[in-house]
Amino acid sequence: MSSEEEQTPLFTRSNHGASHWNRLKKSTMIIRAVIVFSILIGLTGGIWFLQSFLNSTDTIDFNPLEGYCSHILPIQPEEYATRHKKLAETLKKEGADALIMEGGATMVYYANIHWELTERAFMVILEVDENEPTGIHTTIVTPAFEASRAVESLKKARLPTEIQPEIREWLEHKSPFDTVKSVFEEKKVKRLIVEQDARLFIYQGVHDALQDTQVIMAPESIQMLRMVKSKSELDIMRCANTVTELAIRTVRPHITVGMTEFDIQKLMTNALHKAGLTNTWVLALVDENAALPHGSSSEKKVTDHSTVLIDTGGELLGYQSDTTRTFFMGKRGHNQTIEDAWYLVRRAQENVLNRAGAGTSCAQVDLTARHIIDKAGYGDAFRHRTGHGLGLEMHEKPYMNQGNVDQYLAPGMTFSVEPGIYILNEFGIRLEDAVVVGEDGKLELLTKGLAQNPWTL
Ligand SMILES: *[C@@H]1O[C@H](CO)[C@@H](O)[C@H](O)[C@H]1NC(C)=O
């Protein structure tokens, strides 16, 4: 170390006074820049704050929605054991040895494993096995390189101790269906059931690998297991659907003249998120745009005499909500034709609630709503089925259409009741509430109540 360095410890890396001066100038400039920058940020922030303050979008009190469903418990581990026991009984009745499925709602239902479909087969096999406490032995067939992810998914699944899945891997250059075959080796397998949503190569692969085995698509009895909801499933669905309807009611007074469909969509999305729903979606359709039942939102603006349709939903603990409300802007004195149509749709909903129940065929449910609308001359304007099953999936069995004559309502089934009237280029009205067939056989709403009128909902 030189003595000079010792005398100027602060500037050990700069031997020259000039560069010291430069550094000072530089730091002053930096300070100035920081000040200017801060002022700019402050201004921008201020403008943003003012804007958001003036914009009603951000000042709505969504607090009543917050934590609305936070007391609802997810499906508990024990329930998966119950599901396996019921499946074992049903498989035996069907003379089947196992149910095979790939990623999707049924895999979530039985194994609580969420697996995205890819070109590589990932399957869960639920096999009747008297040695298992639930009567079902679970095998996971996974691509070998995904095995650790499979183990990870299994840990997250929090299955009860009675369910101890076995993991079998298949190598990239081998067939996953040889692995499926190895699961059944040495056992005489007469009949295998492939879940109805499995892709064709899964079905064909299983079919070809097990030559002497009958391979069939899941019959009604198997599909019924998912259609009939348990108490804990209903608790989740009731809260999800009630809070979705509440979210529409909360947003409703804040929809003002000049807003676009996109604006309404944004408001609703905020409300649903505040309510704790995920995977949310919103259809907001104004006036003639609502004549397309599955139209998409646009820049179309709300006027003081608009008819606004909001069809929306989201997910709570894996289960879906789906609710539609159509309402009028302005005060009384809406277009009479449209007002009459609204009350007609509402009566169609009521007719289903009053007349359908356990033992009613799905076809009859549809006709019960359709009858009211037909009689008023709008038969051709009610172009879709009256409803669809609702649960882990947004659309699932049972479907309420007049062709579904062999399917009957049973306690625990959940579905939407959503009649509508759609006049192309003029208007569209739909009201939708989810219901469950109660233990007493009557339909119960999974929302708080039907819309009372087209103004206040
Ligand atoms: C009311 O709406 C109907 C249906 O769109 C339309 O045909 C009719 O002209 C409207 N009436 C008035 C007074 O605007």
Side-chain angles (χ1 to χ4, degrees), residues 10 36 84 113 123 129 134 166-167 179 188 195 201 203 219 277 286 294 300 330 332 357 359 389 417 427 444:
L10 279 172
V36 170
H84 280 218
I113 293 175
M123 295 166 278
D129 185 343
T134 62
E166 169 194 351
I167 295 185
T179 307
K188 237 189 119 39
E195 202 258 340
F201 81 91
Y203 171 84
L277 301 186
V286 174
H294 281 173
K300 186 170 174 65
R332 313 268 153 167
V417 178
F427 67 92
E444 283 167 32

Side-chain angles (χ1 to χ4, degrees), residues 335 337-338 426-427:
N335 179 308
T337 310
I338 298 176
E426 294 193 21
F427 67 92

